[in-house]
Amino acid sequence: MKEIVILSGKGGVGKSSLTAALAHLLTEKGTRLTLADTDVDAPNLHIVLGANFDRSRAVAASDKAIIDYEKCSRCMRCVDACAFSSIIGENEPIIISYSCEGCGVCALVCPEEAVSIHPVENGKINFVTSGAVRVVAGELGIGESSSGRLVDIVKREARQEASLNGSDLLLTDGPPGIGCPVIAALKGADYAILVSEPTPSALSDLQRIAEVVRGFGIPAGAVLNRSDMDPKSAGITQDWLVQNNIPLLGKIPYDPRLPQALARGALAVNMYPDAPSSLAIKELHKAVEGLLE
Amino acid sequence: MNKKLHPEIIKHFHSTTFTTPIIGVTGGKGGVGKSTIAVNLAAAFVAQGKKVALIDADVDAPNDSLLLGIPLENPEPVTIMQPVFDPEKCTDCQKCVKACQMNSLFRSQPKTITLLGECNGCEACYLVCPAEAIGRGSHSVGTLYTTKRGNLTLYTGALQPGLAESALLVNAVRKTAFADADLFDIILVDTAPGTHCNVIGALKGADHVLAVTEPTPLGAHDLELILSLLDMFAVQTSVVINRSDLPGQKAKTEKTGRAGSTPVAAEIKQNKDLLAGYLQGRPVVNLFPNSSTAKIFLGLADRLAAAYPDWKKQARQEQL
Ligand code: SF4
Ligand code: SF4
Ligand code: SF4
Ligand code: SF4
């Protein structure tokens, strides 16, 4: 089984829509695939696919400190020791759970052994089916931390799901950014597809994510979405790709039918199969099929 | 999972040491135009003669400088503690290895403690070492930039790619900007996308938050999440609808759930001026000051400025 990760360095360039469309085309043409949604801060691949959750399971993706107030003598040593300013309070210590890293320093300094570190349930794994496409999606609780660990769990579950249903491909919709969750999404991938659009901001994001991908030695290709938005920026981006030996896998023109289809909870490739964007995605699909060989 | 927060945590979230008003700009997910709105709002306040601090707290992909067309200046490294081991002093007790919750310390042979994995600088290893064999080194997790242009000062942090320490960097950027708070009439904070702890970290102390969305099913979904988060922290919020003329779901965005009871501060239609500003790296407010879009931002800045005294009054009452 091959693993391909779709990334963009930042959200908003149409990554999820593209992932969903690509997944549909690949399945239609007989590729067996499993999707992993690792944008655990705002998972919405299921919305793009117009699908609902089949089942969900709560997961503990981080460890947090918990104070036993029966034992606590209110000495406030823990407040000073926390390097992440995650304990506050004037008369008694209060742990700000959302920013606690579970490092255990507060427990180490506590003279009363009043603090302990426990795994807490702060996320969910959702299983979604849309036609023949199976999606394993992570969802971090609102205001929670540790998306990297949740992404690890999602990838593990998705691999299991993929091998159970005999998938040829595990396609991962990556999280935005360049931090720890992105690294977790990249781990074990055979190829990375970097989605960009012709604007100076998107190029800067592309450069940052390409640096991360290169650091891991994972081969990558790029897709230029809304490619006709600005010819000048498109030229600059394409030049940069050439200079950096990143093949351009496809160019998808801006298409107002995309948001129209999305507003109806449908995919443009299904609803408007002959639209310019749909045709371009079909071309891209061939390029991706080539990667699977 | 949407648990109630301890009142002290909410109070702590709202506490600041200065009186300069803080406005947050956030959105459930990337790509809804959050940074465009933040940058244009900053330009609008400047156009009205205000001294503005803009904090770009999206340290994974800080783009406000590109949208403003001002290259970043005054880089300063942001560092955290990183243990340095002295094999001479080490007694090989391995307490440090056990203490590290990140499982980042390894001992391949006697007295060869090495840091292999990620380190968040928590100092647990340093604290437990009985032999004083661990020193406090430092390690750069990113860079902080302070860039001044007339009445606008941009504070940005850029995370070292691949690191997990974005929360530390967000705090460092905020701290630097807040130390200068008295120099400004207004502080704007542009957050990372999502509803995770970093967004909260960035919005700490905000008097009012603009939640940017667009009228699509995705927009509605993400808006609902971000409004839940802001509600948990009792933050005063209004909604900005970007690309409000997109086909479909504006009425739905306005009516459902929390979004239905949150006031709409502004609506921005898709337009060429905004795109041109985006591509050229200049706020529309500067590029086409007489355009209808520029007027929307100027109007929003006026209304926000008129509202600050009330926010402060309300905040004071809440503290009493
Ligand atoms: S476990 Fe670490 S981060 Fe959490 S409260 Fe204790 S010292 Fe702070
Ligand atoms: S260090 Fe222990 S005893 Fe002291 S305030 Fe913290 S929890 Fe309580
Ligand atoms: S705790 Fe100190 S003495 Fe013990 S193994 Fe670690 S470095 Fe060596
Ligand atoms: S400082 Fe904390 S994270 Fe870093 S090595 Fe020591 S115990 Fe581990």
Side-chain angles (χ1 to χ4, degrees):
Chain A
M1 185 186 65
K2 285 266 162 64
E3 286 192 28
I4 297 179
V5 180
I6 306 194
L7 292 167
S8 65
K10 184 162 182 155
V13 292
K15 191 167 53 63
S16 295
S17 303
L18 193 67
T19 308
L22 207 52
H24 251 279
L25 288 176
L26 286 163
T27 325
E28 232 171 49
K29 298 276 154 59
T31 306
R32 295 171 72 94
L33 69 82
T34 301
L35 276 176
D37 188 350
T38 56
D39 186 357
V40 299
D41 284 324
N44 47 26
L45 202 53
H46 63 284
I47 303 174
V48 185
L49 285 163
N52 292 317
F53 295 149
D54 287 345
R55 61 195 164 92
S56 286
R57 180 162 65 76
V59 289
S62 63
D63 294 333
K64 304 280 178 189
I66 292 166
I67 295 174
D68 178 348
Y69 289 103
E70 306 252 299
K71 291 188 187 163
C72 170
S73 65
R74 277 76 176 162
C75 72
M76 305 309 235
R77 272 188 223 175
C78 52
V79 177
D80 297 328
C82 177
F84 307 99
S85 312
S86 293
I87 314 181
I88 53 165
E90 272 154 38
N91 307 315
E92 65 177 23
I94 295 156
I95 291 177
I96 307 178
S97 165
Y98 69 88
S99 64
C100 168
E101 301 229 352
C103 68
V105 164
C106 48
L108 288 172
V109 299
C110 176
E112 310 293 341
E113 296 190 1
V115 195
S116 50
I117 309 294
H118 297 280
V120 293
E121 284 185 356
N122 63 347
K124 284 192 282 187
I125 302 268
N126 301 314
F127 297 85
V128 184
T129 314
S130 162
V133 183
R134 319 261 295 152
V135 189
V136 179
E139 185 182 352
L140 195 67
I142 294 176
E144 291 289 349
S145 56
S146 281
S147 34
R149 267 164 78 180
L150 186 53
V151 171
D152 276 332
I153 299 173
V154 174
K155 285 217 78 174
R156 207 168 58 222
E157 293 276 344
R159 279 193 191 122
Q160 219 165 50
E161 186 82 23
S163 72
L164 279 178
N165 63 31
S167 291
D168 311 310
L169 171 65
L170 174 61
L171 191 62
T172 301
D173 188 7
I178 52 163
C180 167
V182 173
I183 307 304
L186 259 179
K187 260 185 242 153
D190 299 294
Y191 198 84
I193 297 178
L194 311 177
V195 185
S196 192
E197 63 178 20
T199 64
S201 295
L203 177 59
S204 154
D205 301 333
L206 174 68
Q207 288 165 337
R208 288 163 72 80
I209 190 71
E211 187 187 329
V212 174
V213 172
R214 200 181 302 128
F216 279 84
I218 295 169
V223 173
L224 204 55
N225 207 5
R226 300 174 197 137
S227 57
D228 49 353
M229 203 160 120
D230 179 42
K232 192 175 145 228
S233 293
I236 296 172
T237 303
Q238 278 173 261
D239 288 347
W240 184 84
L241 288 172
V242 171
Q243 279 154 23
N244 288 275
N245 291 319
I246 300 171
L248 184 62
L249 303 172
K251 286 205 277 187
I252 298 155
Y254 174 74
D255 193 340
R257 278 178 221 137
L258 233 74
Q260 273 163 19
L262 190 58
R264 301 214 168 91
L267 288 172
V269 277
N270 288 342
M271 223 168 135
Y272 309 106
D274 297 320
S277 67
S278 302
L279 296 174
I281 293 172
K282 282 179 196 161
E283 282 300 309
L284 175 65
H285 153 254
K286 282 185 208 148
V288 175
E289 265 187 339
L291 295 175
L292 293 177
E293 273 150 25
Chain B
M1 220 157 23
N2 218 341
K3 54 205 169 272
K4 272 254 177 291
L5 290 168
H6 195 292
E8 284 290 326
I9 295 181
I10 297 177
K11 205 171 132 198
H12 177 73
F13 174 88
H14 289 280
S15 65
T16 51
T17 51
F18 50 83
T19 56
T20 311
I22 307 174
I23 298 175
V25 182
T26 190
K29 186 150 177 151
V32 291
K34 203 167 44 63
S35 294
T36 307
I37 305 237
V39 156
N40 274 290
L41 195 55
F45 279 119
V46 169
Q48 291 167 349
K50 299 219 156 53
K51 293 197 194 73
V52 181
L54 173 61
I55 302 177
D56 187 351
D58 187 359
V59 298
D60 266 36
N63 286 345
D64 287 2
S65 75
L66 285 169
L67 299 179
L68 287 163
I70 52 177
L72 295 176
E73 289 164 11
N74 304 313
E76 265 175 75
V78 177
T79 58
I80 58 169
M81 177 275 188
Q82 181 167 308
V84 184
F85 298 89
D86 181 349
E88 301 267 295
K89 290 189 189 157
C90 178
T91 59
D92 212 29
C93 70
Q94 296 184 57
K95 284 190 177 151
C96 54
V97 178
K98 270 188 226 99
C100 180
Q101 298 286 329
M102 309 271 294
N103 296 319
S104 298
L105 299 180
F106 290 86
R107 168 193 172 274
S108 48
Q109 283 163 24
K111 302 189 175 191
T112 56
I113 306 292
T114 24
L115 177 67
L116 278 186
E118 226 177 293
C119 169
N120 60 15
C122 70
E123 304 205 354
C125 50
Y126 172 83
L127 276 168
V128 297
C129 179
E132 291 182 18
I134 302 179
R136 293 156 101 166
S138 81
H139 169 62
S140 163
V141 289
T143 314
L144 203 147
Y145 300 91
T146 308
T147 315
K148 287 194 177 73
R149 280 298 178 281
N151 275 346
L152 178 68
T153 307
L154 174 67
Y155 295 89
T156 315
L159 183 72
Q160 208 97 279
L163 289 184
E165 310 312 328
S166 35
L168 287 165
L169 207 57
V170 168
N171 284 339
V173 180
R174 267 192 39 238
K175 229 169 126 189
T176 314
F178 284 7
D180 299 341
D182 293 335
L183 304 174
F184 302 109
D185 299 313
I186 181 105
I187 299 172
L188 288 170
V189 187
D190 183 13
T191 76
T195 49
H196 49 105
C197 58
N198 253 355
V199 175
I200 283 301
L203 292 176
K204 226 180 135 276
D207 298 290
H208 191 95
V209 171
L210 300 171
V212 183
T213 188
E214 57 178 29
T216 63
L218 292 181
H221 173 254
D222 298 337
L223 177 65
E224 207 55 35
L225 292 179
I226 191 75
L227 291 180
S228 305
L229 179 69
L230 295 168
D231 191 53
M232 266 167 79
F233 284 85
V235 186
Q236 222 194 91
T237 311
S238 56
V239 173
V240 174
I241 306 179
N242 196 16
R243 305 184 192 109
S244 59
D245 52 342
L246 271 177
Q249 310 234 335
K250 192 173 131 222
K252 205 175 158 204
T253 307
E254 283 175 345
K255 280 196 195 89
T256 45
R258 280 175 218 279
S261 52
T262 312
V264 175
E267 280 184 31
I268 298 146
K269 292 196 170 111
Q270 288 172 289
N271 67 70
K272 288 211 171 62
D273 296 345
L274 213 53
L275 184 63
Y278 191 62
L279 293 172
Q280 289 180 36
R282 281 188 69 192
V284 179
V285 169
N286 301 343
L287 195 61
F288 304 114
N290 295 317
S291 65
S292 58
T293 312
K295 283 185 184 133
I296 291 173
F297 287 112
L298 292 164
L300 179 59
D302 272 340
R303 288 193 298 281
L304 290 169
Y308 330 140
D310 284 343
W311 301 341
K312 290 291 165 196
K313 222 186 287 159
Q314 206 176 329
R316 236 175 285 129
Q317 272 165 2
E318 270 161 20
Q319 268 164 25
L320 286 175

